[in-house]
């Protein structure tokens, strides 16, 4: 029983049937046109095999999305939809045999955005905010005197009135670079492609920076709007262990209709996802316990 409808901005629910069959949508109140809602309403069979992305989310979240009825807040999926459209446009300009490759391995499914046979490169497209991009790049900074000779006009964080003004100089620190789940995702795709006989010499994520070009991004050292970042290799033993454990946990929960344990701190971004971003937070027993 996947998603069954949407939420209006005020929290009121409306079902897919009311929108797409009865024509009951209040378009002005929703503030989103029907083609976008149709894209967000697309569902996959609940009895499908686990996917790579499901194995990187909390098992409880994945289980509830497959077994319970819930309503989607379209506003929370704005960037995800933009990413989908971004992928679709790039796919139209790539060789159809080398883009959007569906795969399966370890009884897990996945879709590769692009495989370049000339360079044996696996490439995945991402849309992300500058905070995530700065983490992926490992951006660090040091302070130096402003080359203009400017001084502080009042006491501040890095000096007192009259001291030379300090400015940030950013550099990429490989020890701080953290791709997070992207690294696991791309390496799992590599693993699957290699099992299909593909040779992979390089892995990359191409990131479009959602807030690129504005001051908030520049303050984090993110100067460009598109980055191509190499993905470090993760040994196949670690890939097999991580994904097989998550696969088995979801399959077992579905088979016995047993609610998995609460998603981990890492999977819930320290609880932020439970508070504001998870689609099934309103029906999650663990979230209700904390309210």
């Amino acid at each position: 029983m996947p998603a069954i409808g949407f939420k209006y901005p005020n929290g009121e629910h409306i079902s897919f049937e009311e929108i797409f069959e009865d024509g009951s949508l209040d378009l002005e109140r929703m503030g989103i046109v029907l083609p976008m809602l149709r894209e967000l309403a697309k569902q996959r069979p609940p009895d499908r095999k686990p996917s790579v992305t499901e194995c990187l989310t909390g098992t409880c979240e994945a289980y509830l999305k497959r077994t319970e009825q819930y309503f989607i807040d379209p506003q929370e999926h704005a960037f995800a939809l933009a990413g989908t459209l971004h992928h679709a446009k790039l796919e139209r300009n790539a060789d159809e045999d080398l883009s959007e490759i569906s795969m399966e391995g370890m009884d897990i499914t996945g879709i590769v955005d692009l495989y370049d046979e000339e360079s044996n490169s696996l490439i995945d497209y991402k849309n992300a905010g500058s905070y995530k991009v700065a983490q992926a790049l490992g951006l660090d900074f040091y302070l130096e005197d402003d080359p203009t000779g400017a001084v502080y006009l009042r006491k501040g964080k890095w000096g007192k009135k009259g001291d030379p003004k300090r400015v940030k100089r950013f550099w990429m620190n490989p020890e701080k670079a953290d791709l997070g789940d992207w690294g696991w995702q791309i390496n799992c795709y590599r693993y699957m492609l290699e099992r299909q006989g593909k040779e992979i010499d390089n892995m990359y994520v191409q990131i479009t920076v959602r807030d690129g070009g504005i001051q908030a991004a520049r303050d984090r050292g993110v100067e460009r709007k598109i980055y191509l970042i190499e993905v470090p290799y993760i040994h196949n033993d670690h890939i097999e262990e991580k994904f097989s454990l998550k696969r088995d946990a979801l399959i077992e929960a579905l088979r016995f209709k047993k609610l998995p344990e609460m998603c981990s701190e890492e999977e819930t971004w320290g609880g932020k996802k439970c508070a504001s971003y998870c689609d099934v937070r309103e029906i999650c027993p663990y979230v209700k316990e904390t309210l």
Side-chain angles (χ1 to χ4, degrees):
M1 292 183 289
I4 59 170
F6 291 114
K7 300 177 187 176
Y8 281 107
N10 67 354
E12 183 182 340
H13 294 168
I14 181 169
S15 70
F16 293 152
E17 182 179 356
E18 291 174 297
I19 296 172
F20 303 122
E21 296 181 20
D22 300 340
S24 301
L25 176 70
D26 186 332
L27 184 61
E28 289 189 4
R29 191 149 63 96
M30 181 65 76
I32 299 174
V33 296
L34 278 171
M36 295 184 73
L37 293 177
R38 287 195 185 97
E39 181 65 31
L40 289 173
K42 289 181 178 178
Q43 304 287 306
R44 292 177 294 169
D47 59 348
R48 66 191 182 276
K49 291 183 178 181
S51 69
V52 172
T53 51
E54 273 186 309
C55 290
L56 289 170
T57 62
T59 304
C60 181
E61 177 187 348
Y63 173 82
L64 291 173
K65 283 183 175 180
R66 287 185 181 232
T67 60
E68 299 293 333
Q69 295 181 345
Y70 64 97
F71 291 83
I72 298 170
D73 185 343
Q75 297 293 332
E76 294 177 5
H77 287 260
F79 291 134
L81 180 57
T84 299
L85 298 175
H86 179 78
H87 277 65
K89 288 186 176 181
L90 290 172
E91 181 187 354
R92 287 199 293 268
N93 289 284
D95 188 315
E96 65 179 14
D97 294 329
L98 304 177
S99 65
E100 291 290 306
I101 304 171
S102 297
M103 306 168 300
E104 185 176 322
M106 302 181 289
D107 281 331
I108 298 171
T109 62
I111 299 178
V112 166
D113 288 335
L114 181 65
Y115 172 66
D116 184 347
E117 286 188 329
E118 291 186 7
S119 62
N120 294 331
S121 296
L122 166 60
I123 302 166
D124 201 65
Y125 305 131
K126 300 294 184 186
N127 277 23
S130 58
Y131 179 81
K132 172 68 174 177
V133 175
Q135 287 183 317
L137 291 168
L139 289 176
D140 207 344
F141 70 91
Y142 60 90
L143 297 173
E144 68 176 18
D145 291 349
D146 191 327
T148 67
V151 298
Y152 290 112
L153 300 179
R154 61 181 63 86
K155 184 178 180 181
K157 181 178 180 180
W158 293 318
K160 59 181 183 294
K161 182 179 179 179
D163 284 348
K165 190 175 182 180
R166 310 278 278 171
V167 294
K168 290 181 178 179
R169 291 288 183 254
F170 289 93
W171 62 290
M172 287 188 287
N173 182 351
E175 294 184 0
K176 289 188 67 175
D178 182 11
L179 288 167
D181 282 344
W182 291 350
W184 287 104
Q185 179 188 15
I186 309 309
N187 270 274
C188 192
Y189 291 163
R190 170 193 57 75
Y191 176 88
M192 291 180 174
L193 279 178
E194 287 175 340
R195 293 184 63 172
Q196 291 183 3
K198 301 289 188 182
E199 185 176 345
I200 311 292
D201 294 330
N202 308 286
M203 297 176 286
Y204 300 98
V205 285
Q206 180 176 292
I207 311 173
T208 300
V209 188
R210 287 197 297 257
D211 53 345
I214 69 172
Q215 190 59 46
R218 290 193 292 270
D219 287 344
R220 297 185 174 111
V222 179
E223 298 288 345
R224 290 152 53 182
K225 297 177 183 177
I226 298 176
Y227 286 90
L228 185 67
I229 303 177
E230 187 169 5
V231 178
Y233 178 88
I234 299 175
H235 196 281
N236 286 343
D237 289 348
H238 300 309
I239 295 294
E240 291 174 356
E241 179 181 18
K242 181 179 181 70
F243 284 90
S244 62
L245 286 173
K246 292 300 293 287
R247 174 204 64 203
D248 291 346
L250 178 57
I251 291 174
E252 181 179 356
L254 292 169
R255 179 180 297 153
F256 295 104
K257 299 180 180 180
K258 180 181 179 182
L259 181 72
E261 63 183 20
M262 186 176 183
C263 303
S264 69
E265 281 285 304
E266 181 180 4
E267 291 164 342
T268 63
W269 315 333
K272 291 180 182 178
K273 191 173 186 180
C274 294
S276 305
Y277 301 104
C278 180
D279 282 335
V280 290
R281 62 185 182 274
E282 291 183 353
I283 58 173
C284 178
Y286 300 113
V287 174
K288 289 179 180 180
E289 286 177 2
T290 63
L291 297 179

